[in-house]
Amino acid sequence: MAPLYRGIGGVTTLIEHYLTLADQLRDKTSAEPRLQLLAGGPWPVVCFRIADPDEGDPDTLHAGVARHVQDNGRAHLATVAVRGRTVLRACMCNYRTTTDDLDLLISEVLHAADAQDRALTRANGRPTHGWSPNASTGGPG
């Protein structure tokens, strides 16, 4: 349907938009010390994880982060298994997505990770990720 509506040139432009956004998200993910880029490549998909959680199950952490982001309704994020581990997966496939949306996604992921950390801290009495959710730099605390 899209080729009929947009024409081949329009579809090509749309795919190029998705690929550009994915490259930008890979760059933003790589620049954020609390995140680790896991998979890139030529597709409009970016797989990443919360960097170096010290304790707890990383698979549970990532599933909880994705669920929290989805529940907030401001960004879309899924999980996928990479090398047998659950990680976060963002796919660029909406023509309305902008660079600002990528910034929002990263912010939502970090906020969700902080919420997961607070919940686990309440459960076991200590932080679980080796960084402070209230660190002013957003980096290791």
Side-chain angles (χ1 to χ4, degrees):
M1 184 68 129
L4 294 176
Y5 177 73
R6 294 185 179 272
I8 297 301
V11 171
T12 300
T13 299
L14 191 58
I15 291 170
E16 289 171 347
H17 173 69
Y18 298 154
L19 295 173
T20 298
L21 287 171
D23 284 342
Q24 291 172 354
L25 184 57
R26 282 189 278 276
D27 291 345
K28 290 174 181 291
T29 300
S30 295
E32 170 53 56
R34 292 173 54 191
L35 301 176
Q36 179 185 13
L37 180 65
L38 295 177
W43 302 104
V45 175
V46 180
C47 296
F48 59 101
R49 64 185 287 266
I50 306 300
D52 301 321
D54 288 336
E55 295 180 25
D57 177 27
D59 293 342
T60 302
L61 169 68
H62 291 110
V65 166
R67 187 171 41 257
H68 190 100
V69 169
Q70 288 291 94
D71 289 350
N72 279 349
R74 298 178 64 198
H76 183 77
L77 188 66
T79 60
V80 67
V82 173
R83 295 183 281 271
R85 300 310 311 236
T86 300
V87 300
L88 304 170
R89 178 186 181 271
C91 180
M92 307 303 113
C93 58
N94 187 315
Y95 70 95
R96 295 177 295 180
T97 302
T98 67
T99 301
D100 289 342
D101 295 317
L102 304 180
D103 294 333
L104 174 66
L105 175 63
I106 297 237
S107 175
E108 289 289 310
V109 166
L110 297 175
H111 174 75
D114 291 345
Q116 294 289 311
D117 190 60
R118 285 189 301 272
L120 289 171
T121 298
R122 282 192 302 272
N124 68 18
R126 63 184 185 279
T128 58
H129 295 110
W131 40 259
S132 169
N134 297 319
S136 61
T137 63

